[in-house]
Amino acid sequence: MSRTVSRRILAVWLREVGVDYVMMPAGASSSGTTVGASLSPVSTVAMASPSGAAVETLDGIRGELTDCRRCPLCAGRATVVFGVGNPRARLMFVGEGPGSEEDRLGEPFVGAAGKRLDRWIARIGLRREDVYIANIVKCRPPGNRAPTPDEAKACLPYLSRQIRAIRPEIVCTLGATALNFLLGVEEKITRERGKWRERDGVPVLPTYHPAFILRNAARETEVIEDFDAVASRLRLPPAK
Ligand code: URA
């Protein structure tokens, strides 16, 4: 069992036995000894990363967003759509922003585009609950427009923290908005899909947004290629 997994198990166990706070190392010296320490809630800081730095839990991040007013999208939202799935997912998807169904139900990709995404996930032998799904912005842009750069900028730190907490082996961006805002580029998805990139040491594969494929069925073969590349990199067994 890896060091990380055992720390996660320890964090869960600590919470089960009623421990609310732990001493977290502030840093480590070159000799490996701890330099300074602070008291941290187990619910917010579940474990230390291999470098000794504190890693947050998704619940800790979610807690900061319940009444978020960092951008104007808060005015029209019914729900903050935080993200859904396995907090230890090996594969994470990032879309654009919640639509009306997502806003109503508080979960990303639950409408027609989400059903198509579920199909692609099933094709590589995974279930929706095996992966993690989030968006560039967590509140619905009015009329399903793309988020503005300012809206994306306000929300992106939370997505970055989610990625750091989950530590997926691959992030798959869905559509141009997710590709461009997550990687800080201005690219055309038709040129960039299927090309591996990297963000903070995490491999990123851009592919098309499922809503685009619902309108452009002929391009779905490219998405299938991209999902096969993801499955191969994760060394997933061939789906039955
Ligand atoms: N489109 C997205 O980009 N995200 C959702 O959650 C739903 C539709």
Side-chain angles (χ1 to χ4, degrees):
M1 191 183 291
S2 79
R3 214 172 143 207
T4 307
V5 170
S6 57
R7 279 193 171 128
R8 285 179 170 162
I9 290 168
L10 177 64
V12 170
W13 178 78
L14 283 170
R15 266 176 273 159
E16 270 174 12
V17 299
V19 175
D20 292 327
Y21 291 88
V22 289
M23 290 302 285
M24 291 296 294
S29 74
S30 54
S31 65
T33 53
T34 299
V35 179
S38 60
L39 201 57
S40 305
V42 170
S43 61
T44 307
V45 181
M47 73 211 86
S49 72
S51 69
V55 176
E56 302 173 283
T57 64
L58 292 174
D59 283 347
I61 305 163
R62 187 196 296 268
E64 286 181 37
L65 287 165
T66 42
D67 191 30
C68 180
R69 311 217 158 265
R70 287 168 189 86
C71 89
L73 293 182
C74 65
R77 71 158 183 250
T79 330
V80 176
V81 181
F82 179 71
V84 71
N86 183 349
R88 311 198 206 327
R90 298 179 66 203
L91 173 59
M92 177 166 177
F93 292 95
V94 176
E96 180 173 308
S100 61
E101 278 297 274
E102 289 78 17
D103 181 52
R104 193 171 66 81
L105 298 170
E107 184 171 329
F109 284 99
V110 288
K115 301 272 172 301
R116 185 58 59 105
L117 176 61
D118 289 348
R119 223 154 92 180
W120 298 337
I121 293 168
R123 219 192 142 270
I124 58 168
L126 298 176
R127 301 159 307 166
R128 187 177 169 90
E129 53 270 37
D130 295 322
V131 303
Y132 196 88
I133 308 173
N135 282 306
I136 291 291
V137 291
K138 299 187 185 331
C139 298
R140 184 188 179 205
N144 293 343
R145 65 159 170 78
T148 66
D150 281 349
E151 290 158 358
K153 198 168 153 200
C155 218
L156 211 49
Y158 298 96
L159 181 60
S160 298
R161 286 164 64 186
Q162 283 173 290
I163 296 173
R164 275 201 296 278
I166 297 164
R167 297 211 280 141
E169 288 168 52
I170 293 174
V171 171
C172 183
T173 55
L174 302 167
T177 302
L179 160 68
N180 287 328
F181 284 130
L182 190 69
L183 296 179
V185 295
E186 279 186 50
E187 308 275 16
K188 288 206 175 334
I189 188 66
T190 42
R191 287 169 58 102
E192 296 308 311
R193 65 128 288 261
K195 294 187 191 161
W196 288 98
R197 291 169 167 264
E198 202 186 280
R199 183 186 192 268
D200 293 339
V202 181
V204 175
L205 189 69
T207 194
Y208 292 124
H209 193 287
F212 171 78
I213 295 301
L214 292 175
R215 302 187 302 269
N216 297 273
R219 304 209 84 133
E220 193 166 24
T221 51
E222 295 165 73
V223 178
I224 300 303
E225 258 176 42
D226 297 340
F227 271 68
D228 285 348
V230 164
S232 154
R233 190 151 183 160
L234 291 175
R235 297 183 188 282
L236 297 180
K240 288 173 207 126

